[in-house]
């Protein structure tokens, strides 16, 4: 009996550039989260790391809770940015471009920022560390993230919105 080629066709359609870059990226994200957790006992959520950098410029108590650990968190955050830059140089001829209007990126960033505050964390913290530790809150959060993202993508596509 010959295997049905439909799964292979679907995979080729969903991942036109192949799956290896996503698998390798996922391994790096998982390894990074594990190293942070083993080294510090802290789940590696990007929103918390980014929030900790505000302790350098704000005296609000919610930011000051990170003062003791903000230096390594800043290095981690810079590593995320530098990692993306290295990838762009090596695999995208040094440029990262988008057809999305700047105001849409800004508005999306604001919505994501509000969502991370309301959801008590971001997709990296809940999705990688929370789900990995079987947190019911993180499982619910990731389910909500996915459902809203899928619904939003469908609505945007139905409306014919382009970048």
């Amino acid at each position: 009996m010959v295997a049905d080629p439909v799964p292979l066709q679907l995979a080729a359609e969903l991942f036109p550039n192949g799956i290896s870059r996503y698998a390798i990226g996922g391994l790096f994200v998982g390894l990074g989260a594990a190293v942070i957790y083993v080294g510090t006992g802290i789940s590696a959520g990007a929103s918390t790391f980014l929030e900790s950098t505000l302790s350098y410029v704000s005296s609000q108590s919610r930011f000051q809770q990170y003062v003791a650990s903000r230096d390594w968190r800043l290095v981690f955050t810079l590593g995320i940015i530098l990692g993306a830059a290295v990838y762009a140089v090596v695999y995208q001829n040094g440029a990262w471009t988008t057809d999305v209007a700047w105001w849409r990126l800004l508005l999306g960033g604001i919505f994501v920022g509000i969502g991370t505050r309301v959801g008590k964390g971001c997709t990296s913290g809940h999705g990688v560390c929370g789900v990995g530790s079987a947190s019911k809150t993180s499982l619910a959060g990731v389910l909500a993230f996915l459902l809203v993202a899928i619904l939003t993508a469908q609505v945007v596509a139905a409306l014919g919105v382009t970048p």
Side-chain angles (χ1 to χ4, degrees), residues 4 11 15 21 25 31 43 54 99 118 140:
D4 186 8
F15 303 102
R21 67 174 59 187
L31 180 62
S43 294
L54 293 175
D99 293 330
V118 172

Side-chain angles (χ1 to χ4, degrees), residues 27 31-32 43 68 75 86 95 132 139 147:
L27 288 172
L31 180 62
S43 294
V75 170
V86 167
L139 289 167
L147 290 176

Side-chain angles (χ1 to χ4, degrees), residues 19-75:
I19 196 168
S20 63
R21 67 174 59 187
Y22 307 107
I24 293 168
L27 288 172
F28 276 117
V29 169
L31 180 62
V35 167
I36 293 293
Y37 187 76
V38 168
T40 66
I42 296 172
S43 294
S47 62
T48 304
F49 290 111
L50 291 171
E51 185 177 291
S52 70
T53 61
L54 293 175
S55 69
Y56 287 102
V57 295
S58 175
S59 60
Q60 289 187 17
S61 62
R62 80 170 195 223
F63 301 129
Q64 292 306 305
Q65 67 181 329
Y66 302 110
V67 169
S69 63
R70 70 183 178 185
D71 292 339
W72 72 261
R73 290 173 190 255
L74 181 61
V75 170

